[in-house]
Amino acid sequence: MSAIKLTIDGQEIEVAPGTTILEAARQLGIDIPTFCHDPELPPNGACRICVVEVEKARALVASCVAPVGPDMVVHTESERGVKARKNNLSLMLANHPLDCITCEKTGECKLQDYCYRYGVASTEFEGEVKNLPYDDTNEFFLRDMNKCILCGICVGKDQLVVGAGAIDFSKRGFTTNVSPGFEDPIEESSCVFCGMCIDNCPVGALIPKYVTGKGRPWQTESVPAVCPYCSLGCNINLHVKDNEVIGVSPVMESPVNRGHLCVQGKFGWDFVHSGDRVTAPMVKTNGVFVEVSWEEALDYIVDNIKEIQSRYGADALMGLSSPKISNEESYLFQKLVRSLGTNNVDSYSKHCHASAVDGMMDAFGNAATTNSINEVAATGAVLVIGSNPAESHPILDYRVREAARNGAELIIATPDTIGLVDVSTAYLPLKEGTEVALLNAMANVIISEGLHDQDFVDKRTEGFAELKKAVDQYSPAYAAGITGLGEEEIRSAARAYASAEKAVIVSDACAGEYIGGADFVRALANLAMLTGNVGKEATGVYVPYGENNLQGMTDMGVLPNIATGYQHLKEKAVRDKFSKAWGVEISETPGMTVAEAFAGGKNTSIKAMYIMGENPVTCGGGSPEVVDYLNNLEFLVVQDIFMTETAALADVVLPQAAFAEKLGTYTNTERRVQLSQPALEPPGEVFPDWAVLVELAEWLGFEWDYAGPEEIFEEIASLTPDYSGISYQRLAEEGLQWPCPDADHPGTKFLHEEEFSRGKGLLSAVAYKPEALPVKGGHAAVSTTGAYPVCQCLSESLSKRSVIKAFKQAALSGS
């Protein structure tokens, strides 16, 4: 249909059919007041504060639900409309506490703003008022439902966006209230404490506990930052007063999280003010840590490193970095280790994800998630397997739910019933560890029924004949005997996925460690490539990492044999390139992985280790072998924000700055490089990690001269083709997704559009191998998602009840 022309407050506009009057007005920059309207929720029309006058209409219309019509003439501030709004506001005030002077919402309260705008100072209506109990029983926020205006936004967000189903309208008429079922305490409900209700409440009914009495909105500074938790990299604002973070809110216009957060991002930040922070360098003397000056600590470190180098050679040194530090710090860390003459640089954390990396690299030639997070919402089918995103990556869970609301087929294949099952079109409760058999059976159905994209397979992939032969035996009947599913369940799932115009697969980078290794991820890639669901928008394979900058850390070359941007150091040209840029000779000897190093036990060739922001003791599940290994080192330096179990074993402990105390970039799972600003001055003798690394390098005799993180990033961009077009100036506006080869490039929304990173995608013949769920790489399996275990180092942070405690205990230290 053609566009509809109408006039609003004397301004003409053409909009698409189905556009509401409110939406059209906002396109013109006209502000119509609203309480109950939210763009991502179904139109409500309950509060009537948005009523406008439409010429020739008999009554005022609610602009949030009324569609535009041809030649419509709308008046948003007519005398009649304003009178109705004043009357609505007066009715609200009749049953609303007027404690605005002390209310924490003052300055951000819509009711207050609209009363001011329309001159409503009091109410002429008198009668019974609500007298509901004040609820301060949960640890995260306060509930004063006497201030609730029943707009319903919190209910919509809870039920549709988050899917928690914790609250709804209860009772009727005057006694209507928003509460958990049977008006139970919110702590005993299914609430996941994401804070979305708080961030969207237009009045002071819901207030975070941490802000009370700390300061008014106009007294605080809002500093943009990147959430330090999972790899989705949500954009947040840190609200700061007197060098203290007193609140966090989501960036509403963020292209990543679109104003959404989870419990970690909303409430899990106060570890930065913990009294348990390491705030000065410490050297262990006679088994006891003693605080020393930076000069003493650096001198002691340099003497020991040089001594070990002279006795054993450079390959007796090793550095373990963290996926919680910035790109600039990761880059400098591996640069320092390699400048010392060894490629022994790695991260303990990344070994949780090694299988996913191997599988994605084999299939596509690139280990990054193929598409952007928000594309999930626009797809036609979603297969969730090997993951419970509500626990591991909640924002991704929200996007899957959005896809379901938009009509997508949602197929859940998990041993246990996860939350997404409630909105799924098909649930496949397969036996644990049989995912590869199911995926092969789906491939069997897709091929045998001719549902595969033969043109895509012929032009873009290799290995089809081998894959077809391998999956021939995985008939639905055969796979049913392995998975415990019905034959028709398997066929229906395969048809639903393959028949969709666009489809995505959602899994988890940790899953491969426990359910088939890299073969599991290769099997995911097989399905995507068979159906042509790679290399275009709203398709792809999502295997997000656990930590916030694991993608960036690997981009920066914190790998034994890989430099920045996955440039392989086995190639002389790459070594020469970095040798020239850094003014040192890059070793041609392959580096040692952390798994190889720890496998050496007491006979290890590693004699000294520098660990930044990692806690191998905890990540190893408290393994005595890990403790023995670290104790057996001749020299151990640990840099962390807390005195972790690993730091307690060190000879030297250096303090580390938290994410809120430093400038830097982080790269999320969709390859989006984002700039995070410092909001606080570090405590005590704490300095940003980049500054410590530069100082240590200079003490070691290297001529490093950086004015700050921006100069470091410029060097990264000059050496890393995928980052070449990214700069702080561009990132100040919005994050950019690599590859971004030049300053005019907009960034790459999804990968593999014309060809895969390896040329042709590899269809792999993989087999189901019946075996118990393993405990790999020294990682203890702790199930927090019901079906899929995660590393001990992440398990506490995934509990909504203990997230703040977990952070204080450094469960994710190094951020």
Side-chain angles (χ1 to χ4, degrees):
M1 293 179 63
S2 58
I4 293 176
K5 182 183 292 186
L6 71 156
T7 303
I8 306 178
D9 290 348
Q11 301 183 61
E12 289 189 354
I13 186 173
E14 291 187 3
V15 296
T19 303
T20 64
I21 295 173
L22 176 65
E23 291 167 339
R26 287 183 172 178
Q27 289 182 36
L28 288 170
I30 296 171
D31 179 31
I32 298 175
T34 62
F35 283 121
C36 67
H37 175 74
D38 187 279
E40 68 178 356
L41 298 178
N44 193 350
C47 71
R48 317 305 286 184
I49 199 69
C50 71
V51 291
V52 296
E53 187 168 2
V54 178
E55 290 187 7
K56 299 180 181 179
R58 289 183 300 172
L60 297 173
V61 299
S63 62
C64 69
V65 295
V68 298
D71 301 318
M72 180 181 279
V73 179
V74 181
H75 302 282
T76 68
E77 295 286 332
S78 68
E79 181 179 353
R80 186 181 173 198
V82 168
K83 183 179 178 180
R85 288 178 191 162
K86 287 183 175 181
N87 193 57
N88 284 341
L89 291 170
S90 186
L91 283 167
M92 289 181 183
L93 291 185
N95 198 18
H96 189 91
L98 299 180
D99 59 348
C100 300
I101 294 176
T102 57
C103 181
E104 293 290 343
K105 195 73 173 183
T106 291
E108 296 178 325
C109 174
K110 275 191 172 185
L111 180 58
Q112 185 183 75
D113 290 345
Y114 293 155
C115 284
Y116 178 82
R117 175 171 167 176
Y118 292 108
V120 180
S122 60
T123 179
E124 65 269 30
F125 302 104
E126 294 183 3
E128 186 180 355
V129 297
K130 290 184 291 187
N131 186 23
L132 298 169
Y134 185 72
D135 182 6
D136 64 351
T137 56
N138 76 83
E139 61 182 304
F140 297 116
F141 63 98
L142 306 169
R143 299 174 69 241
D144 185 355
M145 303 316 291
N146 294 305
K147 294 181 179 179
C148 175
I149 61 172
L150 301 175
C151 70
I153 289 180
C154 60
V155 175
K157 297 286 187 180
D158 169 70
Q159 295 187 0
L160 296 179
V161 179
V162 181
I167 55 174
D168 204 341
F169 291 106
S170 64
K171 301 183 179 179
R172 293 182 179 181
F174 178 79
T175 59
T176 300
N177 186 27
V178 173
S179 72
F182 307 104
E183 299 194 347
D184 289 340
I186 195 76
E187 182 73 6
E188 297 176 13
S189 74
S190 55
C191 176
V192 294
F193 297 98
C194 63
M196 205 178 297
C197 57
I198 300 169
D199 293 324
N200 289 277
C201 181
V203 292
L206 304 170
I207 298 292
K209 277 190 172 180
Y210 53 70
V211 307
T212 55
K214 294 289 184 70
R216 299 297 199 181
W218 59 85
Q219 296 175 316
T220 65
E221 178 186 5
S222 183
V223 181
V226 178
C227 177
Y229 278 83
C230 82
S231 62
L232 299 193
C234 292
N235 299 146
I236 58 176
N237 289 313
L238 300 174
H239 303 293
V240 181
K241 184 174 182 284
D242 299 330
N243 203 42
E244 180 185 2
V245 177
I246 64 170
V248 167
S249 63
V251 176
M252 292 298 177
E253 65 277 10
S254 165
V256 179
N257 51 309
R258 290 172 21 206
H260 301 157
L261 289 177
C262 70
V263 62
Q264 289 100 321
K266 182 65 179 178
F267 295 107
W269 47 264
D270 72 338
F271 69 98
V272 299
H273 298 303
S274 171
D276 296 329
R277 291 278 301 272
V278 175
T279 57
M282 292 183 286
V283 172
K284 188 177 287 181
T285 304
N286 297 322
V288 178
F289 282 111
V290 178
E291 287 192 4
V292 298
S293 67
W294 273 102
E295 290 77 9
E296 291 172 297
L298 292 172
D299 188 52
Y300 187 61
I301 292 170
V302 170
D303 285 349
N304 278 275
I305 287 177
K306 289 185 174 180
E307 168 67 17
I308 288 170
Q309 260 186 315
S310 66
R311 288 169 55 198
Y312 302 104
D315 285 328
L317 308 174
M318 187 168 196
L320 296 186
S321 189
S322 168
K324 309 301 293 181
I325 64 176
S326 70
N327 288 328
E328 293 80 2
E329 292 158 348
S330 292
Y331 171 78
L332 289 186
F333 188 86
Q334 59 88 30
K335 179 179 178 178
L336 177 63
V337 174
R338 290 194 162 99
S339 295
L340 289 168
T342 181
N343 288 311
N344 293 336
V345 60
D346 204 0
S347 169
Y348 202 94
S349 294
K350 82 173 179 60
H351 286 274
C352 305
H353 312 89
S355 295
V357 171
D358 291 345
M360 295 286 277
M361 287 293 292
D362 288 347
F364 305 134
N366 190 310
T369 287
T370 61
N371 290 61
S372 302
I373 298 163
N374 284 308
E375 291 177 43
V376 173
T379 195
V382 183
L383 169 62
V384 177
I385 183 168
S387 174
N388 183 1
E391 289 284 357
S392 57
H393 302 89
I395 305 302
L396 184 55
D397 184 86
Y398 304 163
R399 300 300 169 263
V400 174
R401 289 179 178 276
E402 186 176 358
R405 292 200 306 275
N406 292 337
E409 295 283 333
L410 178 53
I411 307 154
I412 308 296
T414 57
D416 291 349
T417 305
I418 65 175
L420 285 172
V421 170
D422 293 341
V423 293
S424 67
T425 52
Y427 172 45
L428 281 62
L430 75 172
K431 294 177 182 177
E432 284 191 47
T434 64
E435 286 80 359
V436 171
L438 171 62
L439 293 167
N440 277 351
M442 291 177 68
N444 174 293
V445 173
I446 290 168
I447 294 171
S448 63
E449 296 188 3
L451 300 174
H452 59 294
D453 186 335
Q454 191 66 58
D455 185 61
F456 185 93
V457 169
D458 291 342
K459 293 178 180 178
R460 298 286 308 275
T461 72
E462 57 187 0
F464 177 71
E466 292 83 354
L467 172 64
K468 184 177 184 300
K469 182 179 179 181
V471 300
D472 274 349
Q473 68 169 308
Y474 289 89
S475 65
Y478 177 71
I482 297 171
T483 62
L485 300 172
E487 295 179 41
E488 194 54 37
E489 285 182 293
I490 296 172
R491 288 193 186 92
S492 296
R495 291 165 184 162
Y497 174 80
S499 299
E501 183 179 350
K502 295 179 178 180
V504 305
I505 298 173
V506 173
S507 190
D508 191 289
C510 290
E513 286 294 291
Y514 304 98
I515 53 175
D519 279 351
F520 167 68
V521 181
R522 294 185 187 106
L524 299 177
N526 286 344
L527 279 193
M529 289 188 285
L530 274 176
T531 54
N533 279 305
V534 191
K536 57 186 180 182
E537 192 169 357
T539 64
V541 179
Y542 291 75
V543 283
Y545 298 122
E547 293 86 354
N548 68 311
N549 203 38
L550 197 143
Q551 182 68 59
M553 181 189 74
T554 53
D555 291 351
M556 293 301 104
V558 182
L559 296 162
N561 305 310
I562 305 291
T564 66
Y566 309 95
Q567 301 170 83
H568 210 292
L569 289 169
K570 68 182 180 182
E571 298 176 13
K572 185 176 184 301
V574 174
R575 295 198 305 275
D576 290 346
K577 171 184 175 179
F578 282 89
S579 294
K580 181 179 179 181
W582 294 350
V584 297
E585 190 71 26
I586 303 297
S587 173
E588 63 181 83
T589 304
M592 188 180 295
T593 68
V594 64
E596 292 168 340
F598 276 63
K602 293 184 178 181
N603 298 317
T604 180
S605 61
I606 303 298
K607 303 301 178 183
M609 191 174 285
Y610 180 10
I611 301 177
M612 176 179 281
E614 286 270 75
N615 192 1
V617 172
T618 297
C619 283
S623 166
E625 291 80 7
V626 173
V627 175
D628 288 346
Y629 179 89
L630 295 174
N631 276 327
N632 193 54
L633 294 171
E634 293 188 19
F635 188 61
L636 175 61
V637 179
V638 174
Q639 187 169 346
D640 214 309
I641 59 177
F642 293 110
M643 179 58 74
T644 65
E645 294 85 349
T646 299
L649 305 177
D651 298 290
V652 180
V653 174
L654 301 177
Q656 188 174 34
F659 81 103
E661 298 160 354
K662 57 190 179 183
L663 176 67
T665 61
Y666 300 84
T667 306
N668 75 352
T669 198
E670 60 180 6
R671 300 161 287 103
R672 190 182 300 272
V673 184
Q674 303 184 104
L675 185 62
S676 188
Q677 298 286 349
L680 305 170
E681 291 294 325
E685 295 296 311
V686 179
F687 294 94
D689 301 342
W690 69 265
V692 174
L693 288 164
V694 169
E695 190 71 14
L696 178 56
E698 291 177 354
W699 278 67
L700 286 164
F702 304 115
E703 296 181 3
W704 287 13
D705 184 19
Y706 300 102
E710 185 170 5
E711 282 193 8
I712 301 168
F713 192 87
E714 288 171 356
E715 183 173 304
I716 293 168
S718 71
L719 294 167
T720 313
D722 284 342
Y723 279 65
S724 292
I726 304 176
S727 65
Y728 269 40
Q729 183 177 359
R730 296 188 71 188
L731 293 178
E733 299 175 6
E734 190 172 271
L736 289 166
Q737 292 169 275
W738 64 258
C740 184
D742 59 66
D744 296 322
H745 195 280
T748 304
K749 189 174 182 179
F750 54 87
L751 296 174
H752 317 305
E753 182 172 13
E754 295 181 359
E755 67 174 359
F756 290 101
S757 300
R758 68 184 302 278
K760 285 193 171 185
L762 178 63
L763 294 165
S764 299
V766 298
Y768 162 68
K769 300 169 185 175
E771 56 188 15
L773 295 181
V775 177
K776 295 189 175 183
H779 293 255
V782 178
S783 179
T784 65
T785 60
Y788 300 106
V790 296
C791 301
Q792 177 71 39
C793 55
L794 294 180
S795 62
E796 283 194 39
S797 74
L798 297 177
S799 167
K800 70 178 184 182
R801 310 293 183 186
S802 63
V803 60
I804 295 177
K805 179 182 177 183
F807 246 124
K808 286 182 176 179
Q809 293 177 342
L812 288 178
S813 64
S815 53

